[in-house]
Structure formats: C-alpha cells, structure tokens
Amino acid sequence: MRNLRTQLLASHVALLFLMLLVMGGATVSFRRLGTSIDRILRDNYQSVKAAQDMKDALERIDSAAALVLAGENDRARSQYVDHRARFEGAYQVAANNITEPGEREIADDIGRRFADYRAKVESLLHARPPVALAEARQRYLRVLEPAFADLKRRCQDVLDLNQTAIVRADLVARDEAFRASWMGMGATVGVLVLAVPFVLSAVGGALAPLRSLALHAEEIGRGHLHQRIEVDRTDEVGVLASSFNRMSRKLLEARRAEEERLRRAERMSDAAIDSLYDPVLVTDARGNVVHLNRAAEGLFGLAQEAAGQPVEAVVAETRIVEAVARAIHQRRVSAAEDQEAIFELQAGALAHAYRLRATPMHDEDGSLLGSVVVLEDMTNLRQLDRLKGEFIAVASHELRTPVTSLLLSVQALEEGAAGSLSDVQRDVVAAQKEDLQRLERLMRDLLDVSRLEAGVTPPRFEPVCAGDLVDASVASVAGEAQAGGVRLERHVEEGLGPGWADRGQMVRVLTNLLSNGIRHTPSGGAVTIDCRRDEGHLVLRVSDTGEGIPPDYVPRIFERFVQVPGATRGGAGLGLSIAQTIVRAHRGRIDVQSELGRGSVFTVRLPWGDERGQVT
C-alpha cells in the first residue's frame, strides 16, 4: 500500500537530489576558482616579494658604499654584511621559483651582475690601506653606481614580469568566477523549472483530499451533517476520509435522536402547560408571543394566531404588557401579593379575577430566553373573600344591637336601677362592662373594615393643612402617652401648604400609628411624628423606641387580625389593616421598617397638591 508517508518521502528525496546537483556544480566552480587563486599566490606572489626584497637589499648595500665616502668604514662594512645576506636569500627564492617564460634568463643575469657588483663593493670596503676619499668618490660614481642601477633594473624586471602574470591570472580568475556564477544561476533556474511543477503536483496531490476534508468539516460545523467524502485512496488520507464519513453518520444519528428527544420533551412541556387551569403566556426575548395554553386562549385568542406577534398586539391589559416589559428589559419578577395585583379579565360571558405573575426565563449560562406570564385565577377566592366580608359586616351589624342593649343594661345595673349591688356584684358588672366595651369596639372596627373595602365610605376630600393633621393626632393620644410615661415629639416642615385629603380618616390613621407606638414603647421612651414634603408627596413618619416587630411578622403586619405574640396589648389586629385601606383610598402608600429591641418606623406617603387629584 502506497501511503502518504512514502509519497512525501519520495517528493522530498527528489528535491534533495536536485539540490545536491546545484550544490555540486557550485562546489566544482568554486573549487576551480580557489585553485586558480592558490596558483597565483603560490607561483607569482613569492617571486614578487623576492624581487622587492632584492631591490630593498641593493639600496641598503648602496647606502653602505656611500658611508665609505663619509669616512664611516666600520658602519659601512656592518651594513653591507647584513644586507648582502638578505639579498642572497631573496635571490635564492627568486631563482628557485621560476614560473614565467624568460624569468630564468633574468635570474641568471642578476646572479652574474650581483657577483660582479659584490666584488667591486668589497674591494672598496676592504682595501688595505683604505682608499682615499677622492679616489673612493670617483670609483663610486664611475663604477659602483652604474652597476647598482643595472642590477636594480634587472630586479625590477623580475617584479614586473610576475606582477603582469598576476594581473593576467586575476583576469582569468574573474572570467572563471563570472562563468561559474552564470552556470550556477542557470543550474538553479533549471532546477526550479523542474522542481516547481513537481512540488506543486506532489503538494496538490497530498493536500487536495485534506482541503476537501476541511471544507466538509466546516459544513458539519454549520449543522449540515449529510456530508460525505468520496476518496478512492488506500493511504492515510483514505483512512481519514472513511473515519470522517463514519463520524458524520454517527453525528447525524445522534442529532436525530436528540431532536426526537427534544420534540418529545417539547410536547410534554406543551401538554403540561396546556393542562394547567390557570392561563399561561410565554414570550421570547423580544416580547413576541411564543405560546398560549388553552386557558389563555379563552382570554387572548387562538395560540396559532397569536404566535410571533408582539404581546401588546395580543393582550389588551396594560399591566400584563408592562410586566412582560419588566421581565425582559429589567429582568424583574412581577409577583405582588396585595389586592392591587388582582384585576379582572373577561373570559367568555364571565369576568374572572386574576393575580399576575411574570418571570424572566434564562438558560444555563444566564442568557435571557424570554418571559412566562401566569395568571392565577382568584375568582373563587375573591368570591369567598367577598362572602366572608359580607358575613362579617352582617354579623357585626346584627351583633351591634344586642351588644349595645347589654351595655345599657350593665350601665343601668351599675347605676342601681335594679337596687343596690354588693361588692362582689359590682365587680362582676364591671367585668361585664369592660368585655362588652371591647366587643363593641371590635364590632365597630369590623364594620369600618367592611365599609372601607366595599367602598361604602370613600374619602371625602377637602383642603387640609398637614400641621393640623399632626396636631389633632398628637392631641388624641397625649393623655395615653402621659399615662405610659412616653415622650411625644412633633416635627413639621415649614411651608408645606394645604393638600386634599379626608381629615377624619387621616387623623384616624395617624392616631392609630401613634397609639400603637405608645403601647409598645416602655416608660421613658419616645414616639416621634415627622412631617415633610418630598417631590410632590407628603411624607408622614411615625417612629418609636419600643419593642420592635419580629422579622417574620413584618410582611404580614397590615393583614387583618394579625397580632404579634406577646407584644400587642389589647385590640383585635384590625387597626393597621384599616390604616392601610384608608391610605390606599388616598392613592398613597404605607410601609414599615422595624428592628427587634430598637423600635419601628411607619411611613405614610400621600400625593399632596393644590387641588384634588393634582400633585404640585
């Protein structure tokens, strides 16, 4: 089996062979060039140097002869001996390195001439007795100087002959280098002409199936799992293509199985949502309707028609649209538990009451998927609450008459209408009177709650001064605070101006809050009422330094009949519920903050304007 490794190895061996050819040709050319240069250095350079040394030595010998004319015979003889040996050594080099035609004749002539010149110089240097200066001068000028000039000229002939040979050899070497460079370039071009098609063919043959494999892998990455690679090869590429095809087939099978599982889960999810009694509406991250269950179809139309449309085009109730917008854009949950969160929608011929719950949906990495709205059907509970309220109102009204009659009877007994009473009888009558008064207050509170919730006694708005509300409330509880040893403090911001409110109802709210604070504050403590204006609203804050409310009871403190165990002294737990109902009827809000052992703060926030319903 011819595998990919063999193909790549063969192509690399072929390229290596071509490279070796080019390198071999270049090596031969450079070797020839180096041989030529080495021949120049070996053959001619030594002769040039020897000729130059002979000329220098001759000049020093001539200088030694000139010293005789100056009368320095000893120095002349010493200098002559040194440079004669130097000349003879250079002459031996030149005589033994004959490389050029005619060089032997010149060398022999130099030898004869130097022997003659040496004899003449020595006759002058070693004459006994020494030659007179006048005769020595004449001998130097007529004999030695011409001989020196002829000998030096012959040395120059050797120098010129070898320098000319060097120049000629240099030209030859340059020609050889030029030819070698052109031959190298020609060989390189030839190798490239042969190698490029070969390399392209080898690389293309090896990479073409890999490129096809990469393109098919990208298609699989895009989700197109029906990819198959048709490669008729038995090497590693063929094995890879077969593995790729198997992988593609398994991925396709896995995706089909996963799609079936998801479809089954989606059907189960839709069936579960459709089977819910409460209406459910699902939107995507853009606020378009994705699904409506059967209960929601009765309110908003068919799911097929609503799918893909903006929620505001399907749902007319603005509170649902706003809750979906909060869930998607602010990622906030809308799930209020108070009565204001309940509204009515027409379901066929009947009106149903629903509590809105809207929640954003996220995937595992926290990305927003959309929102789900559940409308909890409160119709039956609201009907039961209405029946309960009606029962409480009827019972309170019916019980009020006998309670009043019993209270009058007790008062008559207390005043002696049936004769004088013993001490024991007086105590029994006093206890009955106290219980009947408590029962009467309970009946009155129950009637007030029923009337306020039913709207029988709506607020009677009139111009009211905030300071008057505070003063009237403080005056109502001043005696109770004094009896309990609690300090009352009042703070009213200057220049609040009048606003529209029901004076009696708001005084009742503040009186209830102050009374609660006094009852739950130990002697020596303080209850403070603070009144100020904040962005078109009147803010009334009642704070105490008393026992505080346990955290578990803070969210339920405004519910009816809620009493904190061990903390409430008297009452039926209706005062705060009545206060909240009155404040809401004034389009306001009441909140509480409390900490055990440090007291509570009740805050009432009311719209405060210069005319009814308009805030300044």
Side-chain angles (χ1 to χ4, degrees):
M1 178 182 71
R2 193 180 70 158
N3 55 27
L4 186 61
R5 178 175 179 273
T6 303
Q7 298 176 40
L8 294 177
L9 185 61
S11 63
H12 282 73
V13 168
L15 289 176
L16 181 62
F17 177 73
L18 294 175
M19 242 168 122
L20 289 175
L21 285 179
V22 174
M23 292 178 63
T27 302
V28 171
S29 298
F30 283 114
R31 186 174 183 83
R32 290 178 58 192
L33 181 60
T35 303
S36 176
I37 295 173
D38 182 66
R39 182 176 57 78
I40 292 172
L41 294 176
R42 184 183 65 252
D43 295 344
N44 299 105
Y45 179 73
Q46 292 184 2
S47 297
V48 169
K49 188 175 183 305
Q52 188 64 45
D53 289 343
M54 286 190 296
K55 287 177 62 179
D56 293 342
L58 282 175
E59 290 178 352
R60 301 301 295 172
I61 293 173
D62 180 68
S63 298
L67 288 175
V68 175
L69 302 180
E72 298 182 6
N73 292 339
D74 294 337
R75 182 180 175 189
R77 282 191 291 271
S78 175
Q79 181 172 326
Y80 167 74
V81 171
D82 293 338
H83 291 284
R84 186 192 67 185
R86 180 183 173 192
F87 179 89
E88 289 175 349
Y91 174 74
Q92 290 298 324
V93 172
N96 294 327
N97 190 45
I98 303 300
T99 60
E100 300 299 327
E103 188 176 3
R104 170 57 62 186
E105 291 79 2
I106 298 174
D108 292 342
D109 185 48
I110 289 174
R112 291 190 299 269
R113 288 178 180 273
F114 181 73
D116 180 64
Y117 178 69
R118 182 181 64 185
K120 293 176 179 178
V121 171
E122 289 178 355
S123 67
L124 178 63
L125 293 176
H126 300 290
R128 290 289 186 273
V131 180
L133 291 178
E135 184 183 352
R137 186 178 296 110
Q138 290 179 3
R139 187 184 298 182
Y140 175 79
L141 292 175
R142 287 197 305 265
V143 178
L144 293 180
E145 187 175 11
F148 163 73
D150 292 339
L151 185 56
K152 185 178 179 181
R153 185 175 62 254
R154 295 302 285 171
C155 291
Q156 183 65 39
D157 291 340
V158 174
L159 181 62
D160 293 340
L161 182 64
N162 283 276
Q163 284 181 341
T164 301
I166 289 175
V167 171
R168 185 172 57 254
D170 178 66
L171 293 176
V172 172
R174 288 187 182 186
D175 291 339
E176 291 180 355
F178 183 75
R179 286 193 302 272
S181 63
W182 276 104
M183 288 177 63
M185 291 175 62
T188 303
V189 171
V191 168
L192 286 176
V193 169
L194 294 175
V196 168
F198 176 76
V199 170
L200 292 177
S201 175
V203 172
L207 294 184
L210 298 179
R211 190 178 299 108
S212 175
L213 181 64
L215 293 176
H216 285 74
E218 290 181 359
E219 290 298 319
I220 284 184
R222 296 189 182 99
H224 305 151
L225 301 182
H226 296 277
Q227 301 296 317
R228 294 294 181 272
I229 299 179
E230 302 299 334
V231 178
D232 187 16
R233 299 175 62 155
T234 58
D235 56 6
E236 289 87 348
V237 175
V239 174
L240 183 60
S242 300
S243 300
F244 179 88
N245 292 335
R246 286 195 300 272
M247 178 195 70
S248 177
R249 184 172 59 254
K250 291 181 179 179
L251 286 176
L252 183 60
E253 294 173 355
R255 186 171 73 173
R256 288 172 177 169
E258 184 66 16
E259 288 176 349
E260 180 60 28
R261 186 185 69 82
L262 291 176
R263 280 195 293 269
R264 186 167 57 252
E266 185 177 2
R267 288 194 297 269
M268 292 178 62
S269 176
D270 291 343
I273 293 175
D274 288 339
S275 64
L276 292 177
Y277 174 76
D278 294 326
V280 177
L281 182 147
V282 182
T283 72
D284 59 18
R286 295 190 299 272
N288 297 327
V289 175
V290 175
H291 184 67
L292 297 174
N293 69 346
R294 293 192 185 95
E297 286 182 338
L299 296 174
F300 309 122
L302 296 177
Q304 292 83 354
E305 298 177 357
Q309 297 189 40
V311 67
E312 58 268 18
V314 177
V315 180
E317 176 58 49
T318 57
R319 278 177 284 187
I320 297 178
V321 176
E322 293 172 355
V324 171
R326 282 194 299 272
I328 292 176
H329 301 298
Q330 302 178 17
R331 303 194 180 186
R332 288 173 48 195
V333 176
S334 298
E337 299 292 338
D338 54 16
Q339 293 296 320
E340 292 182 352
I342 299 176
F343 54 89
E344 290 187 354
L345 290 176
Q346 198 72 22
L350 300 176
H352 286 249
Y354 296 100
R355 175 177 285 139
L356 173 64
R357 300 182 185 277
T359 307
M361 295 187 300
H362 302 89
D363 59 8
E364 294 180 354
D365 61 356
S367 300
L368 181 68
L369 299 177
S371 67
V372 57
V373 177
V374 178
L375 300 178
E376 184 180 359
D377 196 334
M378 306 293 294
T379 305
N380 293 333
L381 293 178
R382 201 169 191 184
Q383 184 69 14
L384 290 174
D385 190 62
R386 184 182 63 80
L387 293 174
K388 181 179 65 175
E390 290 178 357
F391 171 77
I392 291 174
V394 172
S396 301
H397 185 271
E398 294 298 327
L399 288 173
R400 189 173 185 181
T401 299
V403 168
T404 302
S405 177
L406 289 172
L407 187 58
L408 291 175
S409 299
V410 168
Q411 289 176 350
L413 290 174
E414 201 172 36
E415 293 172 358
S420 58
L421 302 176
S422 64
D423 292 340
V424 174
Q425 291 172 335
R426 233 181 243 103
D427 291 340
V428 171
V429 170
Q432 289 178 345
K433 181 180 180 181
E434 183 178 352
D435 290 341
L436 287 171
Q437 287 175 343
R438 185 182 300 111
L439 184 58
E440 183 188 31
R441 288 195 300 271
L442 175 60
M443 296 299 103
R444 189 169 59 249
D445 288 344
L446 287 173
L447 282 173
D448 290 342
V449 169
S450 300
R451 289 171 180 171
L452 287 170
E453 291 183 350
V456 176
T457 56
R460 297 180 179 179
F461 290 95
E462 59 180 344
V464 176
C465 180
D468 293 343
L469 294 178
V470 174
D471 292 339
S473 304
V474 171
S476 299
V477 297
E480 183 181 359
Q482 185 177 4
V486 177
R487 185 174 69 259
L488 273 178
E489 297 181 0
R490 168 190 177 279
H491 302 288
V492 179
E493 184 180 320
E494 296 292 337
L496 288 178
W500 285 80
D502 186 316
R503 177 186 174 87
Q505 289 187 359
M506 289 310 304
V507 169
R508 183 175 182 180
V509 171
L510 297 178
T511 301
N512 181 274
L513 296 178
L514 289 170
S515 180
N516 283 344
I518 292 171
R519 286 202 312 271
H520 297 95
T521 300
S523 179
V527 175
T528 304
I529 181 169
D530 179 81
C531 181
R532 61 183 177 83
R533 192 180 183 114
D534 180 29
E535 297 181 354
H537 288 76
L538 181 70
V539 179
L540 297 159
R541 183 176 286 109
V542 177
S543 58
D544 62 65
T545 58
E547 304 162 354
I549 304 171
D552 295 340
Y553 282 84
V554 171
R556 303 175 49 225
I557 198 64
F558 293 105
E559 296 178 9
R560 285 177 292 181
F561 306 111
V562 172
Q563 295 182 354
V564 179
T568 303
R569 303 170 186 169
L574 293 173
L576 290 177
S577 177
I578 293 173
Q580 185 184 54
T581 304
I582 293 173
V583 171
R584 285 179 176 173
H586 282 71
R587 303 184 307 280
R589 190 178 75 245
I590 182 170
D591 301 307
V592 62
Q593 294 178 337
S594 184
E595 185 176 349
L596 277 178
R598 303 191 64 176
S600 304
V601 178
F602 287 84
T603 303
V604 177
R605 189 179 181 88
L606 299 174
W608 204 247
D610 57 357
E611 41 180 275
R612 184 177 178 182
Q614 181 177 351
V615 177
T616 60

